[in-house]
Amino acid sequence: MKALRSAHLHSSVQPSSSSIARSFQRKLLGIAVGLVVGSTVIRPEIVIAQEQHKPVFALETVVVTARNREEIAQKVPLPVSVVGGKALDRDNIVSVNDLVKKVPNLGVFGSNPRQTSISLRGIGKNAANDTMEPSVGVIVDGVVSSYVGQSWNDFIDLDRIEVIRGPQGTLLGKNTTLGVVNIVTKAPSFKTGYTYEVRYGDYNELGGKVSATGAIIDDLLAYRGSIFFNKKDGVLDNVWQSGPETWNETNRVGGRLQFLLTPDETLSARIIVDSIQSVENGNKSLLVSNGPEYFNDGVVRDPTFQSRLERDYFNNPDGTHYEPVYGNNEIEDSQARPQRTEQGGVSVELKKLLNDEYTLTSITAYREQHFDIKNGGVTRFDIGNGGQQLWNDQTSQEFRLNYKGEKNYDYQIGLYYLDASVYSDDPTYYGADASAFNASNGQWSALNAPQYRGLLTDAQRGVYRSYVLEPKTESYAAFGQVNWHFTEKTTLTLGLRDTQEEKTGRNRRELDRPGVGITNATGTDNSKATNYGLDLTNAADLAAWNAAKALYRSAIGTGSAGDKGIYDWVDGDSISDNSVAWLLSPSYQLTNDVLLYGSLSSGEKSGAVEFNTDSSSPDYGQPQNVAPEKAENAELGFKSLLIDRRLLLNANLYYTQLTDYQSNLTEPDATQPTGFRTYLGNIPGVTAKGIEFETAFAVTPNLSVNLAGAYNRATYDQFFTTLPDISTTQLADYSGKQLHGAPKTTLTYGFDWHQAFGDGYGWNLFLNNAYRSDAYLIPSQSEYSLQEAYNVTDAGIGIDKGNGKYKLTLIIKNLFDEHYKTGAGTYSSTTAVTEQPAYGRAFSLAFRADL
């Protein structure tokens, strides 16, 4: 078999001890399984201890490419978690969101591509920022996603997913400050193979996958083609619609086509083309309550969400007050529309063996994404609609030279280029019922008389405005890493990266449709008052007219800032930033099965071209950039295999210090309906420190158990933000508090039991439990956003035939029907409390054939 063709399919890593050679034989990468943090242990293989000439059982070897070469995970001096192909297939893990129940200290947040963010060790939760780079990178088959929302999809033909913690960049394409999620898919094979899978279950779940691989021309050209569909009703029912309509659903279809070309023993080319589309009712929150009657400081909340809807404008036909729908996973929404996402790309990976010691790799890629959503509201009325239209695309090129010879060192060096752009259009639409709902008590009092009903309706009806951002990035980098083997057991790893980034951006606020337009942007035009039969010398008419004008100006975005709320393109202050990342990591192989390691590292991600969003400021809409985010990180850990390699025990301590942490900030702003404004800026300092551990034990040849977890203190060093749930907008000192979305304790544990019976049959019983301690879900840490500690248990039982060739599995997600929420907030600027509930208990049946 040709060398490079084999390299795409097999692990080339061999252990140094001949006594265990049988247990570390080369394996298909698809057999690599996650026995580290968050992974599900599979049935251990039977290996022969040659010196004893008797069968023993041990945990199966895990192969990773965290350092751009195939290595045994236990030999890699990094805190890396792996979820392998068997666990991915069995548990139907197809997205980054699904990983949270498998990997402690990992957080994935968001209900659509733009709201997506990924955190590690409690840091990195920053969604809906189109100018900001992610702190946790996502890499798919060697291609870095410049926009984190590209990870909002289903991945197919997964081989494994690696979660690498700490600043990255001395070996990877794009620099990050917190870590990387590295997604590796199965490559084409010259051996013919077919995989079929179908799933059916609760919430009308229906999904299927088909994958085929084989030779087109023997020893020269192979292919792999895969398609999937994934459909599942949402957890929320829209009871306003005449027919069944669920929200926060899944409805996706996509495919991948790959080719592997090996013209000779030294050259290979892997070409990947993929496309995914989704049309989903999503990003919807459940109304939980009207909110407390009083603020925490004793002041009455007025108007509340419900008191607005109790205005006679919204009365039912029989004259009774309209009652919103609260709880019970039911919503009323007449305005929301499905979110549509289209994304795809192409990549070409070339590998050239220059000789027995040097390998040259080139990865060229292009990716794009288009996203469109109309969020609607939480009632049956035409109050308004918001959403997002977003386009992002990227072109990247990476070169890597890998040396691994007979000398006492090995190294990798590389060059990286990225050209990325985003076009983000954030629209707001006001419906016919908008003014009646948005009016303050004073405005409602002025406009409530029947003769002013037409003026009330027209004040905001039909207004459509948008805020547009267009950031662009060009990134150039050189990186390298060397492993210096001082002795057979002692290695010092040194890494260095230099990155030069050029960023530009511009913004505008445009009035796409002025609606009825009862006045002008400054509110000085009174010419249309007579259209409503008003006599402005009459006090009541004048009060009504002024109230309507104020509502109109609020809708078009001018407010008290004159005509500054609408402006044409304003160029931002461009960024030309150079940053250096480095790594210093000693490791010591105490025995063949025990590795000690430590590391010091530093990373940086560049700033963002941003703009002033304070409408009361004379610099409104003008440049206001965000500073770079810098990270310094320390790790101290060990990896071990004990008790004849039946017991895996790994642990590491970490300390991460972030300076100028990029995050959404909130400050008082009297011009806003909420009394405050939120914008992208820098928090002076954030610290994360804690311990992570993992253990797996092969109890018998058929039974394995695993336990992994983390204790994490992720706190603000210095941070002031608005105090929640009080009547006046005040800043409070959050220094020393745990970050939102950062539970202190996370655990995952479970077992996997496989037993043969009959003629070639086997049955499998498995369970996985994920525990998270309590955590606030929004930055203000309001009491309504607290998610108390919870457990989610998934289990299943299956039967297989032909050594796993055919499998039928009954899967139970959320076995004990635990109620928990994945998001929390309030509706618009009102008091209403909202949340995004997770799925309850759900049964599904899956059939899979590997032929």
Side-chain angles (χ1 to χ4, degrees):
M1 182 176 288
K2 296 184 178 181
L4 276 169
R5 174 162 49 87
S6 178
H8 273 282
L9 302 176
H10 296 274
S11 166
S12 60
V13 182
Q14 294 289 340
S16 58
S17 172
S18 60
S19 65
I20 56 168
R22 289 288 299 276
S23 67
F24 286 113
Q25 298 259 332
R26 294 179 179 177
K27 297 178 177 67
L28 293 174
L29 290 180
I31 298 178
V33 297
L35 301 180
V36 292
V37 178
S39 59
T40 300
V41 181
I42 69 161
R43 182 167 54 99
E45 62 177 328
I46 299 294
V47 297
I48 302 296
Q50 295 178 354
E51 69 275 14
Q52 297 177 355
H53 299 285
K54 63 180 182 180
V56 296
F57 50 92
L59 295 172
E60 194 167 346
T61 305
V62 181
V63 177
V64 298
T65 53
R67 301 196 296 179
N68 290 330
R69 59 177 58 161
E70 293 174 5
E71 300 174 287
I72 295 172
Q74 288 297 100
K75 303 291 185 180
V76 177
L78 290 172
V80 54
S81 305
V82 184
V83 182
K86 290 188 177 181
L88 295 170
D89 291 337
R90 186 196 66 192
D91 297 344
N92 196 33
I93 296 174
V94 296
S95 70
V96 177
N97 300 61
D98 297 330
L99 281 179
V100 174
K101 291 192 288 186
K102 293 291 185 181
V103 181
N105 250 355
L106 173 70
V108 180
F109 309 89
S111 51
N112 61 52
R114 187 170 181 260
Q115 295 289 339
T116 298
S117 66
I118 302 174
S119 69
L120 277 171
R121 296 170 173 170
I123 308 175
K125 187 188 178 200
N126 283 298
N129 288 311
D130 303 315
T131 62
M132 188 179 69
E133 298 175 0
S135 298
V136 180
V138 177
I139 301 175
V140 183
D141 291 327
V143 179
V144 179
S145 298
S146 64
Y147 190 82
V148 68
Q150 291 180 9
S151 64
W152 178 267
N153 63 34
D154 287 3
F155 297 96
I156 193 172
D157 269 342
L158 288 173
D159 182 83
R160 67 187 180 278
I161 301 178
E162 305 167 358
V163 180
I164 310 161
R165 297 171 176 84
Q168 303 295 318
T170 62
L171 276 177
L172 300 171
K174 190 74 177 71
N175 49 315
T176 66
T177 51
L178 296 175
V180 161
V181 178
N182 186 32
I183 299 171
V184 182
T185 69
K186 297 174 183 177
S189 171
F190 285 89
K191 181 181 179 180
T192 300
Y194 302 94
T195 299
Y196 306 93
E197 181 177 332
V198 63
R199 288 175 177 265
Y200 178 76
D202 288 338
Y203 296 97
N204 290 319
E205 179 185 9
L206 182 61
K209 305 175 187 176
V210 178
S211 180
T213 189
I216 298 175
I217 302 175
D218 288 342
D219 296 331
L220 178 63
L221 182 63
Y223 80 97
R224 178 179 289 274
S226 311
I227 58 174
F228 79 91
F229 69 94
N230 185 11
K231 183 171 176 56
K232 187 176 182 179
D233 284 351
V235 70
L236 300 178
D237 292 311
N238 189 358
V239 296
W240 174 244
Q241 300 299 327
S242 57
E245 179 183 276
T246 68
W247 282 83
N248 298 350
E249 64 178 9
T250 299
N251 185 19
R252 303 172 185 178
V253 61
R256 285 166 57 93
L257 181 61
Q258 301 184 63
F259 297 99
L260 176 63
L261 178 67
T262 58
D264 59 48
E265 295 184 354
T266 67
L267 179 63
S268 74
R270 183 183 179 187
I271 300 103
I272 305 174
V273 180
D274 70 279
S275 178
I276 297 174
Q277 296 185 355
S278 65
V279 181
E280 300 169 328
N281 293 335
N283 198 40
K284 185 59 60 180
S285 294
L286 174 72
L287 271 176
V288 178
S289 72
N290 180 51
E293 183 179 353
Y294 296 91
F295 289 101
N296 288 344
D297 54 5
V299 176
V300 176
R301 292 178 184 260
D302 188 33
T304 67
F305 170 77
Q306 185 155 331
S307 69
R308 293 171 187 265
L309 292 171
E310 287 175 352
R311 294 167 176 170
D312 58 15
Y313 180 97
F314 298 104
N315 280 356
N316 294 316
D318 62 2
T320 58
H321 285 315
Y322 164 74
E323 287 291 334
V325 174
Y326 293 112
N328 199 33
N329 283 2
E330 293 181 340
I331 62 172
E332 276 192 327
D333 194 336
S334 62
Q335 299 300 310
R337 300 293 181 268
Q339 63 185 36
R340 299 176 181 271
T341 306
E342 299 178 359
Q343 62 184 34
V346 58
S347 66
V348 179
E349 180 186 67
L350 302 175
K351 283 190 175 181
K352 174 68 176 178
L353 292 178
L354 303 179
N355 53 40
D356 291 339
E357 298 179 333
Y358 290 94
T359 303
L360 180 63
T361 301
S362 167
I363 302 177
T364 307
Y366 172 79
R367 298 204 62 78
E368 64 180 11
Q369 181 186 57
H370 176 217
F371 168 65
D372 188 359
I373 187 172
K374 304 295 187 294
N375 290 323
V378 292
T379 72
R380 66 181 66 171
F381 299 105
D382 184 16
I383 294 172
N385 211 329
Q388 191 73 28
Q389 293 174 297
L390 185 140
W391 296 260
N392 66 80
D393 63 80
Q394 65 175 78
T395 302
S396 61
Q397 174 63 57
E398 183 170 354
F399 295 105
R400 292 196 302 264
L401 180 66
N402 189 333
Y403 167 78
K404 190 173 180 66
E406 300 299 325
K407 298 180 181 180
N408 65 341
Y409 62 86
D410 58 80
Y411 65 83
Q412 297 180 66
I413 57 175
L415 299 171
Y416 180 75
Y417 171 75
L418 172 70
D419 184 355
S421 63
V422 177
Y423 185 93
S424 170
D425 186 347
D426 188 356
T428 301
Y429 169 76
Y430 290 79
D433 303 322
S435 298
F437 182 83
N438 293 327
S440 67
N441 285 344
Q443 291 167 339
W444 171 251
S445 177
L447 287 163
N448 186 33
Q451 66 267 29
Y452 302 136
R453 189 53 54 94
L455 177 62
L456 172 69
T457 301
D458 285 353
Q460 293 185 333
R461 178 168 60 92
V463 172
Y464 184 98
R465 59 182 172 87
S466 59
Y467 177 54
V468 184
L469 279 170
E470 191 175 18
K472 296 182 178 181
T473 299
E474 276 195 292
S475 179
Y476 310 81
F479 55 85
Q481 188 165 299
V482 59
N483 299 310
W484 201 293
H485 309 289
F486 288 100
T487 68
E488 184 178 349
K489 294 185 175 183
T490 307
T491 299
L492 178 64
T493 300
L494 301 172
L496 188 66
R497 178 191 182 93
D498 185 84
T499 303
Q500 178 66 36
E501 291 196 297
E502 309 292 334
K503 290 191 169 185
T504 61
R506 57 179 186 164
N507 84 124
R508 71 179 178 189
R509 294 182 183 269
E510 55 187 3
L511 186 61
D512 300 87
R513 294 196 297 272
V516 176
I518 63 171
T519 186
N520 56 1
T522 59
T524 57
D525 182 9
N526 298 321
S527 61
K528 293 186 180 180
T530 56
N531 295 351
Y532 300 93
L534 300 182
D535 177 5
L536 298 186
T537 63
N538 176 278
D541 286 1
L542 179 61
W545 178 244
N546 287 335
K549 288 197 301 180
L551 284 166
Y552 176 71
R553 293 178 60 221
S554 173
I556 66 173
T558 56
S560 62
D563 59 0
K564 292 186 300 182
I566 304 169
Y567 52 83
D568 205 352
W569 287 112
V570 174
D571 290 330
D573 287 341
S574 60
I575 292 175
S576 182
D577 179 59
N578 185 268
S579 63
V580 174
W582 53 267
L583 169 70
L584 173 64
S585 176
S587 60
Y588 183 74
Q589 196 74 48
L590 185 63
T591 70
N592 194 54
D593 292 329
V594 179
L595 173 69
L596 309 177
Y597 68 92
S599 70
L600 295 173
S601 59
S602 176
E604 179 178 327
K605 68 172 184 175
S606 61
V609 178
E610 269 287 343
F611 301 89
N612 189 312
T613 60
D614 183 0
S615 59
S616 65
S617 168
D619 296 324
Y620 182 52
Q622 297 303 304
Q624 183 176 291
N625 284 359
V626 179
E629 175 181 295
K630 301 178 181 180
E632 295 179 347
N633 183 71
E635 307 274 349
L636 183 63
F638 69 87
K639 297 184 175 185
S640 63
L641 288 169
L642 308 171
I643 314 178
D644 296 326
R645 303 195 173 190
R646 292 169 55 196
L647 174 65
L648 178 147
L649 180 60
N650 298 343
N652 65 283
L653 298 168
Y654 61 87
Y655 183 92
T656 304
Q657 174 70 58
L658 268 71
T659 304
D660 289 329
Y661 175 54
Q662 296 174 357
S663 178
N664 284 325
L665 306 180
T666 303
E667 66 178 28
D669 185 349
T671 67
Q672 301 298 317
T674 57
F676 58 84
R677 68 185 180 99
T678 300
Y679 65 99
L680 180 61
N682 296 99
I683 294 175
V686 168
T687 299
K689 53 188 175 183
I691 183 171
E692 296 162 332
F693 71 91
E694 45 155 331
T695 182
F697 183 54
V699 182
T700 72
N702 300 318
L703 174 64
S704 295
V705 296
N706 71 294
L707 169 66
Y711 178 78
N712 177 49
R713 284 286 286 144
T715 58
Y716 298 106
D717 296 342
Q718 181 183 351
F719 180 46
F720 289 83
T721 190
T722 53
L723 192 65
D725 306 324
I726 63 171
S727 59
T728 59
T729 305
Q730 300 179 19
L731 288 179
D733 187 359
Y734 278 55
S735 303
K737 287 191 174 184
Q738 189 85 353
L739 272 67
H740 72 287
K744 293 180 181 178
T745 304
T746 52
L747 293 170
T748 178
Y749 54 88
F751 68 84
D752 188 286
W753 189 5
H754 191 282
Q755 181 67 52
F757 73 93
D759 184 14
Y761 289 91
W763 67 272
N764 179 219
L765 179 66
F766 59 89
L767 179 144
N768 186 82
N769 185 86
Y771 167 81
R772 290 184 162 246
S773 62
D774 56 359
Y776 291 99
L777 300 182
I778 63 175
S780 70
Q781 302 191 10
S782 175
E783 59 186 30
Y784 65 75
S785 74
L786 177 65
Q787 171 58 62
E788 296 181 348
Y790 66 95
N791 287 277
V792 177
T793 304
D794 298 338
I797 185 170
I799 185 172
D800 62 76
K801 169 69 173 174
N803 197 26
K805 191 173 183 180
Y806 302 97
K807 299 177 185 177
L808 181 65
T809 307
L810 175 66
I811 302 167
I812 311 170
K813 294 292 184 74
N814 197 354
L815 174 64
F816 300 107
D817 202 25
E818 182 86 351
H819 173 78
Y820 64 101
K821 55 196 176 191
T822 60
T826 58
Y827 173 65
S828 186
S829 58
T830 72
T831 61
V833 176
T834 64
E835 68 177 43
Q836 292 177 326
Y839 280 101
R841 180 170 48 236
F843 292 81
S844 63
L845 193 64
F847 174 76
R848 181 182 175 94
D850 292 293
L851 307 176

